Amino acid sequence: MNNEEMLKDSIRELIYNVIKEEQGKQEQIKINAGVDEIKTCDNSTDDGFVEDVTVISMQDTFCVPNAHDPEGYMKMKQSSSGRLGIWRAGPRPLSKAYVRFIADHAAAQGAVWSEVDQDIIKELGFICLESISSSKAEYLKNPNTGKRLSPESVEIVKQNANKNVNVQIVFADGLSSSAIEKNAKDVLPALQQGLKSLGLTYATPFFVTNGRVAVSEEIGELSDADVVVMLCGERPGLNSQSSLGAYVAYKPTIGMEESRRTVISNIHRSGTVPVEAGAQIAELCQSMIKHKISGVELKLI
Amino acid sequence: MMKNFKRQEILSVGIDIGTSTTQLIFSKIILENLASSFNIARIAIIGKDIMYRSKVYFTPLTLDDRIDLENVIEIIDYEYKNAKIDKKDIAIGAVIITGETARRANANEVLHKLSGYAGDFVVATAGPDLESIISGKGAGTDKISKDMNAVVANIDIGGGTSNLAVFDHGEAITAGCMDIGGRLIKLDETKEIIYINEKIKKIIENENLNISIGKQADEKEISKLAKIMVRQIEAAVGVCPKDQYYNMMLTGKDMPLKKPIQYITFSGGVADVVYHQHDNEDVFKYQDIGVILAHEIKHSIIFKELHVMEPEETIRATVVGAGSHTADISGSTIEYDESILPIKNIPVVKIPTDLNKEKIDFDKELAKRIEWFRIDGKQQKIAVSFEGTPSPSFKQVEAYAEQLISGMKEVINSKHPIIILVENDMAKALGQTIRRMLGRKYPMICIDSVKAGEGDYIDVGNPIAGGVVLPVIVKTLVFQ
């Protein structure tokens, strides 16, 4: 018993001393820490960077280790932009794949909530309009407010409406501001060039902040153009955050049926090539003006 | 212009005039718009159905070893009548002269006469490499390669030549041709040898084989010769080392294997015997060495080293290839003047560089290459082919248009049409830009999704699929 007690005592003492020593060390570290932290901070601003996980396209990303036929897999991946061949860690995704997912999701949200860069609007010479939404939040929570122009904007359209033009081009942020930022500068000149070569006239394009497709109906009524081409940011997904949709209608009227619109969707870098879409929309306008209809009816010709 | 195109079937003809046989097929090529209704049309060939196969004729030759054109025309007339097909209904097609027949004195003349005779847009093709790829596609080897994600070779063994084509994941990566075939030695009814090919004579001399004109054909001796012939094929597919005869037996260039072959198919007349050989068959029943050659192939190490598969077509592989697999279609967003179509046999000038990649001036390079096609101070018609940029900006498109116009000055001065083939999807915007710069009246064809290389020739047919696409045939050089 005595022996045991003694042994316990000496162990206690030993532990106590060790703890005390360790605490002393830590206090010293804490004192030094101030200096160290400042140093690390300095270093991190110089060298630190976070790898951009979205640089490589999903189609070029392949993480299967020791694949039997990596080339065959890559060929297969060319037919889908889905997250194929991203491998796993046990039952969970690899950190890299998970971070990529979060990044793509963030980019999609960013596209919805951001505003179109003013420099781009200026560069392309858009006339700016607004819907009756007072803010992005209101626009997203009450989408109907995106369908009508604010009273000020109605005046601007009236002032700038060029009677007797064939085509009125309208851009709207819709659900993706980055769709406008990435594609407008290529779609617009290709479209205008195409219209010109077909002998069609067009007015200065409008840009509607917090605008939806249907806002083009009001612009159509006010401007009296034969055809209104509405280029609207499409709802982003995890694969494409900057996709533009073209909604083209002959003499649109407020509250008209959706079937009167002809749609060319998926206009972006890896979808319908923007310059080709612009060139094609010009021909579409020509055929609408020739037949005086658009949408489903045009398809029945 | 119609944009609501859903589906169309066009009729295609293929005519193959080979060393020993002449054949014809008609096939239906089915085009469909694959794009959803909210997208720009995307026309694709979704199916090819062979609807009529002619008999297999012996290729008619005249006494002085030329192709008997009159007889060939008779065959064609008879088969068109028998199939109840009017030449006017043929939208597209190809005539191919293959093997030793391609080396006959009047081959070129026959080829061009026939292509005009068989239909409005039936084009002439020849050249050993092209022949190889066409027969490989006709045999369905490209499909096997695509489906299995593997490197698959086809060897089309005909009367005069053996054509090798290697496909990797469906794409042709190697093509070549050897002078090995079933009719390089011919016999008469009494099995007396009446013809021996020059190259084969050299092997016979070197090996001291007892084979010569006027003698009775001896199965054993010919088997020895056939073994040597098969060894050349084995060397070509990489299962045995090349021997002293290899280079001599090549028809043209050697065909270096870029990747090891995993599977192999045989087509051509000799292959028919390889796959469907009967016992107790008279080995000389075709009055040539084809059956013995087939027998030696069957016992070759190819069957041990590689996985041998059966093709879709054997003796008809080349004609099916010519009828169903030579024609392709352009992309669906293009610009063209219908008045200058169809165009035939236009040489291709390929610009190897991309505007962004290298600092070589696109226009100067183009002008230099176009100058190669000035004959006696006269500029020939040419088509310009280049890769282009995937999803280019409008500024890039304008830059391409400027450079193209500047580089094609001589073509424009000669008032030849501007013909542009670009690989990436950008032809409509590019075409419209060129039109803005040159004026709308200048004749022009600007199409995309077409891959053509230096030395190729191109044919572009009348619009199909409601005017959305143009049929295109890219050919390698006709007769080198």
Side-chain angles (χ1 to χ4, degrees):
Chain A
M1 278 294 266
N2 257 351
N3 264 351
E4 207 182 304
E5 289 280 297
M6 267 172 65
L7 204 70
K8 275 185 181 171
D9 271 348
S10 53
I11 289 172
R12 251 183 224 120
E13 204 177 329
L14 211 73
I15 293 171
Y16 178 77
N17 283 340
V18 170
I19 289 172
K20 214 172 169 187
E21 260 173 52
E22 284 298 312
Q23 276 178 340
K25 262 189 212 164
Q26 274 186 1
E27 258 161 52
Q28 255 193 326
I29 291 169
K30 266 184 198 162
I31 294 162
N32 293 334
V35 186
D36 265 4
E37 260 169 35
I38 292 163
K39 269 186 195 164
T40 9
C41 266
D42 272 356
N43 289 343
S44 73
T45 41
D46 283 348
D47 310 319
F49 71 96
V50 178
E51 189 194 347
D52 183 354
V53 289
T54 61
V55 170
I56 301 169
S57 83
M58 221 46 239
Q59 258 155 328
D60 295 325
T61 307
F62 185 62
C63 307
V64 178
N66 308 317
H68 173 67
D69 181 7
E71 250 177 78
Y73 207 135
M74 290 312 281
K75 283 244 166 168
M76 213 164 68
K77 270 171 71 75
Q78 290 312 306
S79 58
S80 165
S81 54
R83 279 154 219 269
L84 301 171
I86 55 170
W87 204 236
R88 63 196 158 75
R92 277 167 285 167
L94 294 179
S95 303
K96 205 177 167 185
Y98 183 62
V99 171
R100 175 65 190 264
F101 184 86
I102 295 173
D104 287 343
H105 191 233
Q109 285 181 311
V112 175
W113 284 93
S114 64
E115 303 286 341
V116 175
D117 186 352
Q118 284 299 317
D119 290 345
I120 289 176
I121 293 175
K122 260 182 228 156
E123 187 193 319
L124 295 173
F126 292 153
I127 297 171
C128 289
L129 308 173
E130 278 174 356
S131 68
I132 57 172
S133 310
S134 59
S135 66
K136 199 80 178 173
E138 190 193 349
Y139 164 66
L140 292 170
K141 287 173 188 163
N142 185 1
N144 275 339
T145 57
K147 289 185 174 180
R148 296 303 296 264
L149 290 174
S150 70
E152 297 82 27
S153 293
V154 170
E155 285 310 309
I156 296 174
V157 175
K158 279 183 186 165
Q159 280 164 25
N160 289 284
N162 214 333
K163 295 279 172 189
N164 304 323
V165 300
N166 297 120
V167 179
Q168 176 65 56
I169 303 165
V170 183
F171 285 85
D173 46 7
L175 286 176
S176 172
S177 292
S178 69
I180 307 295
E181 289 175 351
K182 295 263 167 69
N183 303 310
K185 63 180 186 304
D186 296 320
V187 175
L188 183 63
L191 171 56
Q192 289 174 328
Q193 171 181 280
L195 292 172
K196 215 177 204 170
S197 80
L198 295 169
L200 300 175
T201 54
Y202 51 87
T204 312
F206 292 118
F207 172 74
V208 188
T209 306
N210 297 332
R212 299 185 69 195
V213 170
V215 82
S216 61
E217 296 165 359
E218 191 173 5
I219 293 174
E221 285 194 2
L222 291 168
S223 72
D224 206 30
D226 293 327
V227 170
V228 177
V229 178
M230 162 56 96
L231 292 142
C232 188
E234 290 179 343
R235 183 177 62 84
L238 288 167
N239 284 323
S240 59
Q241 288 91 33
S242 329
S243 181
L244 201 63
Y247 296 80
V248 192
Y250 181 77
K251 297 261 184 203
T253 47
I254 295 172
M256 70 180 200
E257 307 87 358
E258 294 296 325
S259 61
R260 279 177 57 195
R261 286 188 243 276
T262 300
V263 183
I264 294 175
S265 75
N266 209 25
I267 302 168
H268 59 99
R269 258 196 78 82
S270 19
T272 299
V273 176
V275 289
E276 291 287 89
Q280 188 73 33
I281 294 167
E283 267 184 20
L284 184 61
C285 293
Q286 186 194 34
S287 108
M288 283 182 187
I289 290 167
K290 184 179 162 204
H291 298 290
K292 298 195 190 309
I293 44 169
S294 56
V296 173
E297 282 185 278
L298 186 68
K299 295 211 167 196
L300 297 175
I301 286 177
Chain B
M1 186 159 297
M2 201 173 92
K3 284 181 196 65
N4 311 318
F5 169 82
K6 282 276 178 267
R7 192 186 165 94
Q8 186 185 1
E9 292 179 354
I10 60 171
L11 201 56
S12 167
V13 63
I15 299 170
D16 170 25
I17 301 169
T19 309
S20 44
T21 64
T22 290
Q23 306 174 58
L24 177 151
I25 62 142
F26 293 109
S27 69
K28 233 191 292 179
I29 294 179
I30 306 154
L31 303 168
E32 206 170 275
N33 183 4
L34 294 182
S36 75
S37 48
F38 299 142
N39 270 308
I40 292 174
R42 198 175 77 244
I43 314 295
I45 294 173
I46 59 149
K48 295 159 184 172
D49 286 336
I50 298 160
M51 43 186 291
Y52 180 86
R53 293 156 201 258
S54 75
K55 284 194 285 185
V56 178
Y57 295 90
F58 274 109
T59 297
L61 296 174
T62 58
L63 288 174
D64 59 344
D65 264 350
R66 287 160 167 262
I67 304 162
D68 188 343
L69 181 62
E70 266 174 49
N71 247 314
V72 173
I73 285 180
E74 239 170 68
I75 291 173
I76 292 172
D77 280 343
Y78 171 79
E79 292 295 342
Y80 269 71
K81 220 180 274 165
N82 205 33
K84 297 193 178 67
I85 281 170
D86 196 352
K87 277 181 210 161
K88 272 181 284 178
D89 301 330
I90 301 287
I92 203 164
V95 183
I96 185 165
I97 295 195
T98 59
E100 282 200 314
T101 311
R103 283 167 248 168
R104 307 267 176 215
N106 63 341
N108 206 355
E109 179 200 350
V110 169
L111 190 57
H112 287 103
K113 277 203 176 134
L114 282 184
S115 72
Y117 186 79
D120 268 351
F121 189 60
V122 175
V123 303
T125 55
D129 288 359
L130 183 70
E131 212 177 295
S132 302
I133 293 167
I134 285 177
S135 57
K137 286 181 176 174
T141 308
D142 60 330
K143 242 181 282 164
I144 295 175
S145 159
K146 198 177 175 188
D147 290 348
M148 303 184 65
N149 279 335
V151 181
V152 188
N154 180 62
I155 302 173
D156 189 273
I157 307 169
T161 54
S162 291
N163 290 84
L164 172 83
V166 184
F167 298 91
D168 180 18
H169 293 95
E171 302 273 337
I173 54 165
T174 303
C177 185
M178 300 188 102
D179 289 340
I180 290 167
R183 286 182 82 78
L184 294 180
I185 294 181
K186 285 192 246 179
L187 321 174
D188 65 9
E189 300 88 31
T190 65
K191 295 177 191 174
E192 189 187 300
I193 297 171
I194 52 168
Y195 166 79
I196 302 175
N197 166 282
E198 289 306 313
K199 287 184 181 178
I200 297 297
K201 263 185 202 161
K202 279 186 194 150
I203 298 180
I204 292 169
E205 266 169 40
N206 224 353
E207 299 286 326
N208 277 324
L209 297 173
N210 188 15
I211 305 169
S212 60
I213 292 179
K215 275 196 183 151
Q216 281 286 306
D218 176 56
E219 193 182 334
K220 260 190 194 159
E221 288 294 297
I222 291 174
S223 289
K224 279 185 208 161
L225 173 71
K227 271 197 183 81
I228 293 166
M229 290 163 81
V230 172
R231 207 189 300 148
Q232 310 312 315
I233 295 174
E234 291 168 349
V237 298
V239 296
C240 94
K242 294 170 184 176
D243 64 13
Q244 72 267 38
Y245 301 119
Y246 183 82
N247 282 331
M248 176 181 84
M249 297 311 282
L250 289 169
T251 308
K253 295 188 306 279
D254 194 7
M255 41 208 145
L257 293 177
K258 287 168 194 143
K259 282 182 174 178
I261 294 164
Q262 294 164 282
Y263 298 89
I264 197 162
T265 55
F266 293 98
S267 64
V270 172
D272 224 31
V273 188
V274 172
Y275 290 105
H276 312 112
Q277 198 168 23
H278 304 293
D279 292 333
N280 309 323
E281 205 174 24
D282 174 13
V283 293
F284 295 120
K285 72 172 176 183
Y286 299 114
Q287 295 175 21
D288 61 22
I289 59 168
V291 175
I292 295 176
L293 188 61
H295 191 77
E296 288 306 327
I297 287 168
K298 213 167 175 184
H299 292 91
S300 137
I301 51 166
I302 292 175
F303 275 74
K304 292 192 195 91
E305 298 284 324
L306 303 172
H307 192 92
V308 178
M309 299 187 69
E310 257 195 70
E312 274 175 27
E313 297 284 343
T314 52
I315 192 164
R316 291 179 206 270
T318 307
V319 71
V320 166
S324 295
H325 301 284
T326 45
D328 208 342
I329 54 174
S330 70
S332 304
T333 46
I334 53 173
E335 277 286 302
Y336 60 85
D337 257 318
E338 205 173 335
S339 60
I340 51 172
L341 293 171
I343 54 162
K344 285 188 184 183
N345 276 326
I346 303 289
V348 171
V349 173
K350 169 93 177 178
I351 305 301
T353 48
D354 193 312
L355 264 186
N356 309 318
K357 278 183 200 153
E358 282 172 53
K359 287 244 157 101
I360 297 171
D361 288 332
F362 190 90
D363 58 340
K364 285 193 189 112
E365 181 72 20
L366 178 56
K368 191 180 88 193
R369 284 164 187 267
I370 285 175
E371 220 187 278
W372 299 343
F373 292 90
R374 275 180 82 85
I375 298 170
D376 302 330
K378 262 179 120 183
Q379 181 64 49
Q380 305 295 300
K381 281 183 193 171
I382 50 104
V384 176
S385 157
F386 63 102
E387 191 190 334
T389 309
S391 192
S393 69
F394 188 73
K395 287 215 172 79
Q396 283 173 310
V397 172
E398 281 184 314
Y400 275 118
E402 274 166 18
Q403 300 275 316
L404 283 165
I405 291 171
S406 148
M408 291 175 89
K409 213 190 228 160
E410 281 305 312
V411 175
I412 297 166
N413 285 344
S414 315
K415 297 201 166 59
H416 289 319
I418 288 190
I419 303 163
I420 290 164
L421 320 165
V422 49
E423 283 173 41
N424 281 299
D425 182 10
M426 58 185 283
K428 194 166 194 77
L430 180 63
Q432 286 183 352
T433 308
I434 291 172
R435 280 197 163 152
R436 172 177 48 120
M437 292 173 175
L438 268 187
R440 225 187 136 62
K441 281 185 189 142
Y442 199 90
M444 183 200 64
I445 298 171
C446 185
I447 54 180
D448 56 28
S449 308
V450 178
K451 236 182 184 172
E454 189 73 47
D456 287 352
Y457 282 71
I458 186 152
D459 302 273
V460 184
N462 287 316
I464 48 175
V468 180
V469 297
L470 299 177
V472 177
I473 296 179
V474 178
K475 307 172 292 188
T476 49
L477 201 60
V478 180
F479 295 107
Q480 279 133 340

